[in-house]
């Protein structure tokens, strides 16, 4: 890994770099799928067809406020986003 401080922080928190990347990709995929999928009885089936575990959609929905707070907390103050 090209960023030793990041690697050390990941390992310090009990993860391997592979686990960290897998978590981040899963979180991104699930958040995107949750944002793009309409609520309804066929939501879970459509998620499965798209390769997304419906449990992950439920997690995103349940923890939306917490995830948004973490994003706001970690967004650079001088960001133009």
């Amino acid at each position: 890994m090209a960023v030793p401080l990041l690697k050390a922080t990941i390992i310090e928190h009990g993860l391997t770099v592979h686990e960290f990347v897998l978590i981040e990709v899963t979180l991104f995929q699930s958040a995107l799928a949750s944002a793009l999928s309409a609520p309804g009885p066929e939501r879970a089936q459509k998620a499965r067809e798209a390769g997304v575990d419906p449990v992950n959609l439920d997690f995103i929905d349940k923890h939306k406020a917490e995830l948004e707070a973490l994003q706001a907390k970690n967004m650079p103050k001088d960001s133009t986003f």
Side-chain angles (χ1 to χ4, degrees):
M1 177 171 234
V3 186
L5 182 58
L6 179 59
K7 181 178 181 178
T9 302
I10 291 168
I11 292 169
E12 179 182 311
H13 285 84
L15 298 171
T16 66
V17 173
H18 176 81
E19 290 168 331
F20 174 78
V21 171
L22 186 61
I23 290 167
E24 289 299 308
V25 170
T26 301
L27 182 61
F28 176 76
Q29 178 194 44
S30 301
L32 184 62
S34 177
L36 295 175
S37 63
E42 68 282 342
R43 184 178 192 212
Q45 181 60 33
K46 287 182 178 180
R48 276 189 215 89
E49 290 169 2
V52 178
D53 189 334
V55 172
N56 293 343
L57 293 182
D58 294 339
F59 177 88
I60 295 294
D61 294 343
K62 182 177 179 182
H63 298 281
K64 184 176 182 173
E66 294 168 76
L67 293 167
E68 288 174 352
L70 285 170
Q71 287 176 329
K73 176 184 170 188
N74 293 302
M75 183 64 73
K77 301 294 184 248
D78 61 352
S79 174
T80 58
F81 294 117

